[in-house]
Amino acid sequence: ILVAVMPKFQVIFAELGADLPALTQWLIDASDILINKTWIVIVGIAALIFLYKQTYATKPGKYVIDYITINIPVFGPLFQKDAIARFAGTLATLITSGVPILQSLDIVRETSGNEVVSRAMDDVYNSVKEGESIHEPLRECKVFPPLVVHMVAVGEETGAIDQMLVKVEEAYQREV
């Protein structure tokens, strides 16, 4: 559209000689840059990719990118649900297999694939290590929806946390 259609509209708008709305002018300017200054676009994209890779290579940068990813409109909830499903499924499998809870939480922290979830697992790990519950740190981190926290709490109370986590995983996988 910017390369084929906008230049034709630009000619029509120029003949009219009227002031254009800001958004229309912005589209015309973007079309002009894309057509006449392609090298700027290529260098800009390459710089963004380089910056992304450099930022994602550090733990704080990965946290910022993952935080932004799960909070962006439209796709953020999808990424968040995927991370929660991965967390629940991995933890349920480990607990069902008889892996001790602290070791399971440590493994989930390392394999979560999302630095925000990984940091939440740090808090859960420390809480459980001190003899406290799993659901309280989950509630405090704000990554996990109240339903997940409630199901984990019920699982802790009934001694069937692995079954509750499987249900969480299945529900979120269906949604994803």
Side-chain angles (χ1 to χ4, degrees):
I1 291 175
L2 290 176
V3 174
V5 177
M6 282 309 291
K8 293 175 183 171
F9 278 108
Q10 187 175 3
V11 171
I12 294 169
F13 292 144
E15 289 175 0
L16 293 174
D19 288 336
L20 299 175
L23 184 59
T24 305
Q25 188 60 51
W26 182 83
L27 282 171
I28 290 172
D29 293 343
S31 173
D32 184 53
I33 289 171
L34 192 60
I35 293 169
N36 299 320
K37 299 173 184 165
T38 307
W39 65 273
I40 292 175
V41 175
I42 293 170
V43 169
I45 290 171
L48 285 174
I49 291 170
F50 176 78
L51 182 64
Y52 174 82
K53 286 184 176 187
Q54 292 299 312
T55 303
Y56 206 73
T58 67
K59 218 165 176 63
K62 186 173 180 354
Y63 177 81
V64 168
I65 290 172
D66 286 345
Y67 182 82
I68 291 169
T69 300
I70 64 172
N71 287 297
I72 58 174
V74 182
F75 292 106
L78 181 70
F79 294 127
Q80 182 182 20
K81 288 173 185 176
D82 182 52
I84 291 169
R86 199 172 324 128
F87 147 78
T90 305
L91 188 56
T93 301
L94 291 168
I95 292 170
T96 303
S97 300
V99 178
I101 190 69
L102 281 175
Q103 190 176 357
S104 297
L105 291 171
D106 193 39
I107 292 169
V108 169
R109 176 177 52 190
E110 298 299 322
T111 61
S112 70
N114 185 300
E115 191 63 27
V116 177
V117 172
S118 180
R119 287 194 186 181
M121 288 298 97
D122 282 340
D123 295 340
V124 172
Y125 180 87
N126 293 331
S127 175
V128 171
K129 192 174 182 180
E130 294 173 10
E132 297 173 21
S133 67
I134 295 174
H135 73 275
E136 278 304 317
L138 289 180
R139 177 178 290 123
E140 292 170 9
C141 75
K142 306 285 190 239
V143 175
F144 298 91
L147 178 64
V148 174
V149 174
H150 180 70
M151 289 185 75
V152 169
V154 169
E156 284 182 302
E157 289 173 16
T158 62
I161 192 167
D162 54 337
Q163 295 169 2
M164 287 299 186
L165 287 168
V166 166
K167 290 180 183 188
V168 168
E169 178 196 24
E170 289 171 353
Y172 278 87
Q173 283 293 349
R174 262 193 315 274
E175 287 188 39
V176 169

